[in-house]
Amino acid sequence: MNNTPLRTLVQGIPKTELHLHIEGSFEPELMFEIAKRNNITLAYDSIESLKKAYTFNNLQEFLDIYYTGAQVLLHEQDFYDLTWAYLTTVHSENVVHVEVFFDPQTHTDRGVPFKTVITGIYNALEKAKSEYGITYKLIMSYLRHLSEEAAFKTLEESQPYKAWIDGVGLDSSEQGNPPSKFKNVFEASAKEGYKLVAHAGEEGPADYIWEALDVLNVVRIDHGNRCLSDDALVERLVKEQIPLTLCPTSNVALKVIDKMEEHPVAQMLDKGILATIHSDDPAYFGGYMNENYYQTASALNLSKEQIMQLAINGFKASWLTEDEKEAHITKVKAYFASID
Ligand code: HPA
Ligand code: ZN
């Protein structure tokens, strides 16, 4: 890097977040606060002891804690506070556009109505739009450890709120739950006008990425790390410029990679893959957008051009209009031209 310190450089980049589970932005402090007002006793007696539990050997160990944490969310205000806290944080990091996942089934299966969940999230997103100028899309994720029938029920519950939802995704335990399990519900979701994305190739094999593309017809792959084991797949991703929304601190925390120095993003950029960087579950993995950019750029010694490419790719991969994308990309380029 040249004269501008890396953290300063990263802070100034106008950024977009395309891979963020709102339940994964639940900071321990807010979790304790909401638990208290909802008269729920957490299994941990302090914020410190909760944080100590945040060491994971794989995706499932994380998911077990993540679903437990989400159980304190009961009321519309809780979902609002959760979302607002996230948006306030990323606004301070110069994130200007977000495409946020929520997991309706994590809540509806506990008896919290779909309406309660989505209204709280939606109101916070709208407030951030008017107060911070952050634009947004909302993505409803189906939990892949549950049945396709359960996903169909969620699709039906979403009907009254279709105007607020831009797309559907697929998350939770990947291994043993291939994309093809959700073929019919993705087809039905597309018919309702939802855009389609899916987590694939985080822990699961490259075959799951093929399935997400060919069976589910997704427009973007969440994670996709494992694509590098399959040359034909890489060729396809490059040719069709199918975005991969990578989450570096998540990959280290869940042991998808051993250390940040082994993150595949630089290799992916070299091959011409439309790779982007995001935070996944920042409250659990130790970093929001800036930290993900910082740690990746630092460990891989990325050049200014590579960092700029990642920021540009984020906007390219988003669901903004072509004009909106162009306007953001122009600002990214102007920013990089202004720093030394
Ligand atoms: N992978 C799968 N499901 C998830 C994740 C993830 O990284 N985060 C929240 N749900
Ligand atoms: Zn994710």
Side-chain angles (χ1 to χ4, degrees):
M1 204 54 52
N2 306 336
N3 293 326
T4 310
L6 184 53
R7 281 196 193 276
T8 312
L9 179 142
V10 164
Q11 166 66 31
I13 308 170
K15 289 168 289 282
T16 181
E17 169 101 280
L18 306 178
H19 186 157
L20 178 278
H21 304 265
I22 199 65
E23 295 88 350
S25 71
F26 203 2
E27 291 289 348
E29 290 76 8
L30 184 61
M31 195 182 290
F32 269 84
E33 189 185 315
I34 293 180
K36 191 169 168 211
R37 76 186 185 209
N38 288 344
N39 289 316
I40 293 170
T41 308
L42 290 166
Y44 303 91
D45 58 7
S46 67
I47 289 168
E48 291 65 40
S49 65
L50 173 60
K51 283 184 179 167
K52 277 205 190 105
Y54 290 0
T55 52
F56 315 107
N57 290 303
N58 52 47
L59 174 59
Q60 193 59 51
E61 287 187 10
F62 155 69
L63 290 170
D64 292 343
I65 286 201
Y66 162 86
Y67 293 130
T68 305
Q71 285 178 13
V72 309
L73 299 163
L74 297 181
H75 308 293
E76 188 183 308
Q77 185 70 42
D78 305 340
F79 291 93
Y80 178 91
D81 290 347
L82 171 71
T83 309
W84 182 248
Y86 165 71
L87 292 163
T88 300
T89 299
V90 296
H91 174 57
S92 76
E93 296 198 345
N94 207 14
V95 171
V96 295
H97 176 70
V98 296
E99 301 189 359
V100 172
F101 291 119
F102 72 116
D103 288 342
Q105 290 157 297
T106 299
H107 315 296
T108 52
D109 282 3
R110 299 181 287 116
V112 178
F114 191 99
K115 176 180 194 283
T116 300
V117 179
I118 196 166
T119 307
I121 296 171
Y122 174 78
N123 285 339
L125 288 166
E126 279 291 303
K127 186 173 178 202
K129 192 159 97 181
S130 60
E131 283 204 9
Y132 298 150
I134 295 182
T135 51
Y136 72 88
K137 309 286 176 191
L138 186 55
I139 310 173
M140 165 174 91
S141 273
Y142 301 126
L143 298 181
R144 70 201 305 158
H145 67 275
L146 301 178
S147 67
E148 185 178 51
E149 194 188 344
F152 263 112
K153 186 164 171 266
T154 300
L155 174 59
E156 193 163 325
E157 284 175 322
S158 77
Q159 290 297 317
Y161 307 97
K162 252 167 75 171
W164 295 355
I165 302 169
D166 300 278
V168 302
L170 186 66
D171 64 4
S172 193
S173 321
E174 187 180 6
Q175 284 172 322
N177 294 299
S180 52
K181 179 177 165 187
F182 296 90
K183 178 184 188 320
N184 297 313
V185 76
F186 266 64
E187 205 174 288
S189 302
K191 282 203 183 112
E192 295 297 341
Y194 293 135
K195 291 189 170 68
L196 310 175
V197 295
H199 284 52
E202 180 185 17
E203 283 187 345
D207 280 358
Y208 283 17
I209 302 174
W210 282 110
E211 274 192 17
L213 296 174
D214 292 335
V215 181
L216 301 187
N217 289 309
V218 302
V219 296
R220 213 159 66 195
I221 298 286
D222 296 309
H223 295 295
N225 296 51
R226 302 282 288 272
C227 74
L228 291 178
S229 64
D230 184 331
D231 290 345
L233 177 56
V234 168
E235 201 179 307
R236 164 103 181 262
L237 294 171
V238 172
K239 189 159 161 241
E240 297 182 18
Q241 287 293 283
I242 296 157
L244 301 186
T245 63
L246 304 169
C247 303
T249 60
S250 165
N251 293 157
V252 175
L254 301 187
K255 302 197 167 38
V256 168
I257 53 175
D258 290 334
K259 51 183 193 301
M260 196 59 90
E261 286 73 13
E262 290 172 14
H263 199 277
V265 64
Q267 241 182 304
M268 288 175 174
L269 289 177
D270 279 351
K271 289 177 187 288
I273 291 175
L274 192 77
T276 65
I277 283 193
H278 310 289
S279 71
D280 212 5
D281 302 281
Y284 293 90
F285 302 148
Y288 287 76
M289 282 290 285
N290 281 353
E291 192 61 23
N292 274 277
Y293 266 78
Y294 174 78
Q295 286 194 25
T296 311
S298 178
L300 300 175
N301 204 14
L302 297 184
S303 67
K304 227 163 93 170
E305 287 69 29
Q306 285 173 309
I307 301 171
M308 180 171 80
Q309 191 63 54
L310 287 168
I312 290 172
N313 285 355
F315 290 106
K316 279 192 184 166
S318 75
W319 294 343
L320 291 164
T321 64
E322 290 307 315
D323 284 352
E324 290 167 333
K325 288 181 190 183
E326 204 42 58
H328 284 296
I329 292 169
T330 300
K331 285 186 192 161
V332 171
K333 288 181 178 166
Y335 170 68
F336 275 90
S338 76
I339 51 169
D340 60 5

